[in-house]
Amino acid sequence: MTLPYIPNTQADRQAMLAAIGVASVEELFADIPAEFRIGELGLPPALSEPELVRELSALGGRNQPVDDMPCFLGGGAYRHFIPSVVSEVIGRSEFATAYTPYQPEISQGTLQTIFEFQSMVCELTAMDVANAGMYDGASALAEACLMAAAISGRRRIALLSTVHPHHQAVVRTYAFGRGLAVDVMPPDDLALSGEHACLAVQQPNFFGYFLPDVEALERAVHAAGALFIVSADPISLGLFRPPGEYGADVVVGEGQSLGSPLNFGGPYLGLFACRQQYLRQMPGRIVGRTSDAQGRTGYVLTIQTREQHIRRERATSNICTSQQLVALAATVYLAAMGKQGLRQVAELCYHKAHYAAQRIARLPGYSLAFDGLFFKEFVMRCPQPPSEVNRALLERGIVGGLDVSQYVENGLLLCVTEMNTRDEIDRLVEALAAIGGGA
Amino acid sequence: MSDGPRQADIGARLTFDLGKPGRTAFSLPPCDVPEADLPPPSLLRRELNLPELSQVELVRYFLALSRLNYSVDSGFYPLGSCTMKYNPKVHDKLACLPGFTGLHPLQPLATVQGALALMYDLQRWLVEITGLDAASLAPAAGAQGELTGIFMIKAYLADRGEEGRTRVLVPDSAHGTNPATAAMAGFEVVTVASDSQGNTDRQALASALDDGVAALMLTLPNTLGLFDPNIGRIAEMLHRKGALLYGDGANLNALLGRARFGDMGFDIVHLNMHKTFSTPHGGGGPGSGPVVAKGHLAPYLPTPVVGKDGEGFVLATPERSIGRVGSFYGHFGVLVRAYAYLRTLGAEGLRQVSDNAVINANYVLARLRPAYHLPYDRRCMHEVVFSGSRQRAKGVRTLDIAKRLIDYGFHPPTVYFPLIVDEALMIEPTETESKEALDAFCDALLAIDREAEEEPQVVKEAPHSAPIGRLDEATAARRPVLRWRREVGDGS
Amino acid sequence: MPSPSDRRYTKEHEWVRVEDKMGTVGITDYAQDQLGDIVYVDLPSVGTQVKQLEKLGEIESVKAVSDLYSPVSGELVEVNQGVNDRPELVNQSPYEEGWLVRVRLADPAELDNLLTAKQYDELIAQAQET
């Protein structure tokens, strides 16, 4: 079997073995003790390219992508419009097959786009500095909490109960490492003390709603001497006031909505930005602007002394490889949508979600579970268990929402974005009416 | 105003500096529903400072930037322990199939059985390849895989009432993520010296090994590209003292189809899909760092793992799981590529990868050793570490050699790592490079060695033909400029 | 060039110059040369109690971090703001403008524990031979 990815022929190998001074390749593995040498492993037989395409297409065919149906599912991963220029740019192998830009002279493409990304995240969040990205919104939140603990020397992390449950879980996992305690508090019953390093909130929260009085919350957090961490939906920042304007010390978020497909949960993108004073405690890579001897503008990884390859066990984080190509997708997305486009996307989400909510709430048996300001997601109390409702919707060719009945009785978390047409929304309403009518 | 260098000063103009108010690069349909009242202005943002470009400007800008990058597709990229192998293009096509990209992680499991089947099989094959017992595909990168593995060890020991094991041992040749990971898990890090052969010094290990040690983190082959033949004995030493052996699988490319971590006594290992398994590096990610564990640690794997019940594939939480490490299930888009790679290799292909990777590295060793100092005089595996000490004696540093390689059309190898080698040059060719490519690279390094002797200035002032010269990293760190800001005045 | 004789030195390449129980502390020329371009100095705040040969702070170059040790015990009364704004002062003028902190000495007898300029110069001469 000749693999198209291995150029050397038998003749090449013979010549090289001779130059090395051995008779066979076996001699090169002599350091492996005999007891550990293995025979052939149990993997399926090798496939040629056409066979491979057939196999994988068949596997893909056993899935039902939500793009093929009206979909109202959110809950931390979202179907938003991805302009074609995004895949065009990230498909360039000069971006995709490069690695960490340790040699800046031949990595200006990567480095300059990271600088762009950092700039855009700062503008979006109204914060002073941003890093080159983290694995996802959940781990970005976890690292923000660890950073707050390191800065303050305090050992407890506070989270609002309305932060995405999966994000809460990741914070707990990371907190376990450093022996930090995690306290989850309901928004109307804060119990912050001088032991809390931070309070983290999500805007809009897991159920789609904004905090009614975020200023009061910010005052309470800072009065307790804790850091105020906000996890924000970046699409919402096209319309709503950014956390930097209401006192956030650190802003994190899930960047998947910015130009990345759903991809069954990954790879996604963690956004991370903070105030200038915390720059040296910020994890992740940072790119800075500088110049060469001829005065040409260039970009380099900078303040690297925070990172693992220099500070090792005293590093701000162990993060090395992160999500560069996904961050590039976000950069192209934000450059393509621009000042006007992001606002338009946000407004479309807002209007369509409110239209859907209004129409559904008027159906007998359905009601909005929460009061207040929501963006693109809301929770409906349904006349039947949401699992039943979703099943019935799927039979009608509609992907329903997320079953949140463990938090809200018969609660269904519905998401409406700019990708849902009025037609789709009307169909959803009709279907829900039929389902609710006891069918 | 001079036009020479400034015209080539691509770095001076970002997307924010291009375009004009009113230009757009996107198109969206108008709102087709009655508009709801917007919230009061106090809750809305007043301005959004993002670029306004036409699509043409945008495409030209990013394509111009892409041309400034060196990549595997441009040429030889021998970064040590990074395994910069060729990324098969068919994988891109397959990973972009709508049947994969269009899947929401929270949609009903019955509608994603193909995706779960793929993950289930990949879990199985990683177990088979590593000789351990159970896998989780959740970690997002090698470093997160390490974190996961060390957290699992911590939880396992805590369940046994062994919280007193507060130290993790790490060789002096270890990648920086190893001690950083141990620290993030709340362990004290103790460094163990390497011996004169480049193996773990067993005396040093024995003295460091007491009941307070939780684990030793080992890379095998290590970052010197050397296989420690005493690995079996090392595993025994640790286990006898109640400690565990963690494997950093970054260098698996040398062992594919030849030896398995499980057989050698490793308790838990992380793998790097973007290294051994051919998924693209992306300029710094996304990667993927699955964790594979022996039976006693399997219950601690992060959630979820893909399992099977009577009906089909399901997502399960191991009984003593350390919890979630990410929002969802791991980097599915990357895993599709790794899966496709293993389907292309089959069992026979694994050996071809490791054979060719090891031959290539030893060939480079043989060709360069007349000119460059080889600190550990033995066969290497898939990578070789030289020292630029001879050249430094002539006044030329490894840094200069690296920059001069750029003029010869190559990406430099890793430099100044591992830390235990002075002026280190760490070269990993991978199996996807041809003999001619290796010869050209070695010829260049030999030429640079001669230049170091005869005209050192040309080396010390390199690169001469890169898009940009050496950059002022000191000023970048002293007076950081980390984001675009609107210029005040005409910005000249 | 021999190290200035009006001060004392640690083995970790810090110096202290004392006038009226007030010690000015910095790093030596050898140290700044070894470190390369210094980009950041991390020092404790005024009022901190420091102890002889215990960690005082950190000094960073582009690619490395080094711990700083205090040559004397006492109360830290002043931090050189100039070095905060322009870390390159430490490279350019390690014995004068690049001073780091001033400490009010708790025990002047401690200076006997430190090296003289001559002893320090011998130390670095040996280091350079290896």
Side-chain angles (χ1 to χ4, degrees), chain A residues 280 304-305 310-311 314, chain C residues 40 55 58 60-61 67:
Chain A
R280 298 200 119 79
Q304 294 185 67
T305 45
I310 293 176
R311 218 178 258 267
R314 298 188 294 181
Chain C
Y40 184 71
K55 184 172 160 179
E58 287 175 350
E60 293 179 17
S61 59
D67 286 335

Side-chain angles (χ1 to χ4, degrees), chain A residues 200-334:
Chain A
V201 310
Q202 186 178 313
Q203 292 269 74
N205 66 23
F206 173 61
F207 302 112
Y209 285 78
F210 287 96
L211 286 159
D213 189 353
V214 75
E215 280 91 349
L217 201 70
E218 178 269 323
R219 278 193 300 270
V221 175
H222 285 136
L227 262 64
F228 188 35
I229 299 173
V230 177
S231 175
D233 172 355
I235 298 285
S236 76
L237 297 179
L239 181 61
F240 292 92
R241 120 191 112 125
E245 283 182 21
Y246 53 82
D249 295 299
V250 187
V251 179
V252 296
E254 175 52 66
Q256 174 263 326
S257 297
L258 305 175
S260 279
L262 290 164
N263 255 330
F264 200 45
Y268 287 174
L269 174 66
L271 308 175
F272 194 112
C274 68
R275 298 217 165 283
Q276 184 69 31
Q277 68 198 94
Y278 302 125
L279 170 59
R280 298 200 119 79
Q281 281 78 43
M282 184 162 72
R285 298 201 166 118
I286 307 178
V287 167
R289 170 187 276 164
T290 183
S291 52
D292 73 355
Q294 267 83 47
R296 284 175 292 199
T297 312
Y299 298 90
V300 290
L301 292 175
T302 193
I303 322 187
Q304 294 185 67
T305 45
R306 296 159 306 118
E307 297 185 70
Q308 48 77 26
H309 56 293
I310 293 176
R311 218 178 258 267
R312 298 172 72 90
E313 66 266 20
R314 298 188 294 181
T316 49
S317 164
N318 74 342
I319 194 168
C320 183
T321 294
S322 59
Q323 305 296 93
Q324 182 42 35
L325 207 63
V326 189
L328 178 59
T331 307
V332 178
Y333 175 86
L334 289 171

Side-chain angles (χ1 to χ4, degrees), chain A residues 53-67:
Chain A
V53 173
R54 207 174 306 130
E55 278 284 321
L56 271 284
S57 302
L59 265 180
R62 282 165 61 188
N63 304 317
Q64 288 180 50
V66 298
D67 282 331

Side-chain angles (χ1 to χ4, degrees), chain A residues 19-318:
Chain A
I20 293 166
V22 293
S24 82
V25 67
E26 293 306 315
E27 292 184 53
L28 299 178
F29 288 95
D31 282 335
I32 302 180
E35 51 183 313
F36 299 138
R37 303 210 195 133
I38 58 176
E40 207 169 78
L41 290 175
L43 287 187
L47 298 175
S48 68
E49 187 170 320
E51 292 167 315
L52 182 72
V53 173
R54 207 174 306 130
E55 278 284 321
L56 271 284
S57 302
L59 265 180
R62 282 165 61 188
N63 304 317
Q64 288 180 50
V66 298
D67 282 331
D68 294 345
M69 303 178 266
C71 171
F72 297 91
L73 184 57
Y78 302 99
R79 197 173 59 136
H80 283 287
F81 169 58
I82 301 175
S84 312
V85 288
V86 174
S87 54
E88 183 63 37
V89 173
I90 66 175
R92 301 292 299 187
S93 65
E94 296 92 334
F95 284 128
T97 71
Y99 202 17
T100 310
Y102 289 129
Q103 300 292 344
E105 297 87 343
I106 47 178
S107 314
Q108 288 298 296
T110 299
L111 288 162
Q112 189 162 331
T113 56
I114 296 175
F115 188 85
E116 291 264 15
F117 174 76
Q118 288 169 189
S119 305
M120 290 178 185
V121 172
C122 287
E123 293 290 347
L124 215 53
T125 57
M127 300 300 282
D128 299 322
V129 292
N131 69 16
M134 310 206 78
Y135 306 132
D136 62 7
S139 63
L141 178 61
E143 294 250 26
C145 294
L146 292 188
M147 180 174 118
I151 288 167
S152 63
R154 297 178 180 188
R155 314 276 307 156
R156 305 193 80 88
I157 290 167
L159 307 177
L160 278 196
S161 56
T162 49
V163 168
H164 194 299
H166 292 185
H167 293 207
Q168 291 186 36
V170 175
V171 172
R172 257 189 258 277
T173 306
Y174 274 69
F176 162 69
R178 299 241 193 226
L180 302 171
V182 179
D183 298 320
V184 180
M185 335 188 142
D188 50 6
D189 189 15
L190 272 197
L192 287 174
S193 76
E195 285 184 72
H196 286 110
C198 62
L199 174 72
V201 310
Q202 186 178 313
Q203 292 269 74
N205 66 23
F206 173 61
F207 302 112
Y209 285 78
F210 287 96
L211 286 159
D213 189 353
V214 75
E215 280 91 349
L217 201 70
E218 178 269 323
R219 278 193 300 270
V221 175
H222 285 136
L227 262 64
F228 188 35
I229 299 173
V230 177
S231 175
D233 172 355
I235 298 285
S236 76
L237 297 179
L239 181 61
F240 292 92
R241 120 191 112 125
E245 283 182 21
Y246 53 82
D249 295 299
V250 187
V251 179
V252 296
E254 175 52 66
Q256 174 263 326
S257 297
L258 305 175
S260 279
L262 290 164
N263 255 330
F264 200 45
Y268 287 174
L269 174 66
L271 308 175
F272 194 112
C274 68
R275 298 217 165 283
Q276 184 69 31
Q277 68 198 94
Y278 302 125
L279 170 59
R280 298 200 119 79
Q281 281 78 43
M282 184 162 72
R285 298 201 166 118
I286 307 178
V287 167
R289 170 187 276 164
T290 183
S291 52
D292 73 355
Q294 267 83 47
R296 284 175 292 199
T297 312
Y299 298 90
V300 290
L301 292 175
T302 193
I303 322 187
Q304 294 185 67
T305 45
R306 296 159 306 118
E307 297 185 70
Q308 48 77 26
H309 56 293
I310 293 176
R311 218 178 258 267
R312 298 172 72 90
E313 66 266 20
R314 298 188 294 181
T316 49
S317 164
N318 74 342

Side-chain angles (χ1 to χ4, degrees), chain B residues 326-346:
Chain B
S327 299
F328 299 108
Y329 319 132
H331 286 177
F332 181 76
V334 175
L335 298 171
V336 172
R337 293 175 155 98
Y339 177 93
Y341 186 62
L342 287 176
R343 300 292 327 248
T344 303
L345 292 183

